[in-house]
Amino acid sequence: MAEGPLEASFWRKGLLVAGLDEAGRGAWAGPIVVGAVVLPPGEYPFRDSKLLSPKARERLAEKVKEVALAFALGVAEVEEVDRLGVLKATLLAAERALLSLPLAPEALVTDYLALSTPLPLLSPPKADEKSPTVAAASILAKVHRDRIMAELDRLYPGYGFARHKGYGTPEHQEALLALGPSPVHRRRFAPVAQAPLRFPEAP
């Protein structure tokens, strides 16, 4: 990052910059979670959450909360993902995260998420590798969603949610075929839609 982080131009103008990133967009089960973080200008050790071990993510999530000027989370539940589709549900979760921030940002950086906003917006791909603010949001979103999936693993044992976090692993595929979809599976996703229905339909 010889030219500096993505948000450097906003920081030089004195703007409050919120970075946003999601967790769970491609999963077969569980919610989509979007983190929003406002950092003061500076250098940070935050990296894309997918490149970190669970312990490192937990440690850095606490660091994010210590140094951030503001942070918030937005969630789109499984029913909303099925009803709206993944993209619109992700945008809804992002909107909720932004509305929950205790500080109003003056510019936004996202990881390839084209928000509808009057604010200056940078949304290149792989922004979590080029922006500490987006990386911080990625860490908070991933840690929060992993905790949700661990709780869903207790509520719906047998699927392995605590291990694969709802993503499409061979273990998850086998459990789907054996148990059928749970109430927290996304029915729009083909592997879920094609699985035999053994669980009672959610009301």
Side-chain angles (χ1 to χ4, degrees):
M1 283 194 288
E3 73 282 3
L6 276 176
E7 52 273 87
S9 62
F10 294 145
W11 281 344
R12 283 194 292 269
K13 295 174 183 175
L15 299 178
L16 285 174
V17 183
L20 290 93
D21 202 8
E22 56 77 26
R25 189 167 173 173
W28 294 354
I32 294 172
V33 178
V34 173
V37 175
V38 179
L39 294 177
E43 295 184 7
Y44 300 96
F46 309 135
R47 303 170 61 205
D48 173 9
S49 64
K50 294 185 290 296
L51 304 176
L52 299 168
S53 69
K55 282 188 178 179
R57 278 196 299 268
E58 291 276 355
R59 177 176 54 81
L60 286 173
E62 293 308 309
K63 182 68 174 176
V64 170
K65 293 175 183 178
E66 286 174 15
V67 301
L69 298 174
F71 61 88
L73 294 160
V75 177
E77 302 294 349
V78 171
E79 178 274 329
E80 293 172 317
V81 179
D82 277 340
R83 177 166 48 86
L84 301 173
V86 169
L87 177 57
K88 287 184 178 179
T90 304
L91 292 170
L92 177 62
E95 179 183 351
R96 287 171 173 164
L98 282 173
L99 289 173
S100 297
L101 279 173
L103 281 176
E106 299 164 319
L108 304 175
V109 183
T110 74
D111 186 17
Y112 209 50
L113 189 61
L115 302 175
S116 176
T117 175
L119 299 176
L121 169 67
L122 293 174
S123 55
K126 300 184 185 294
D128 47 8
E129 298 175 10
K130 308 164 190 171
S131 162
T133 311
V134 174
S138 165
I139 290 166
L140 291 192
K142 176 67 173 161
V143 167
H144 185 70
R145 188 177 185 278
D146 282 359
R147 290 171 181 168
I148 291 173
M149 296 311 296
E151 177 61 24
L152 292 180
D153 188 58
R154 287 188 283 273
L155 292 174
Y156 304 103
Y159 294 97
F161 289 148
R163 289 185 295 278
H164 53 64
K165 307 302 187 291
Y167 286 92
T169 64
E171 176 195 7
H172 194 177
Q173 180 72 62
E174 289 176 13
L176 262 178
L177 293 175
L179 302 173
S182 76
V184 294
H185 276 96
R186 301 177 186 175
R187 303 306 172 101
R188 276 193 177 212
F189 283 52
V192 177
Q194 294 164 7
L197 184 63
R198 306 184 195 282
F199 228 100
E201 283 281 2

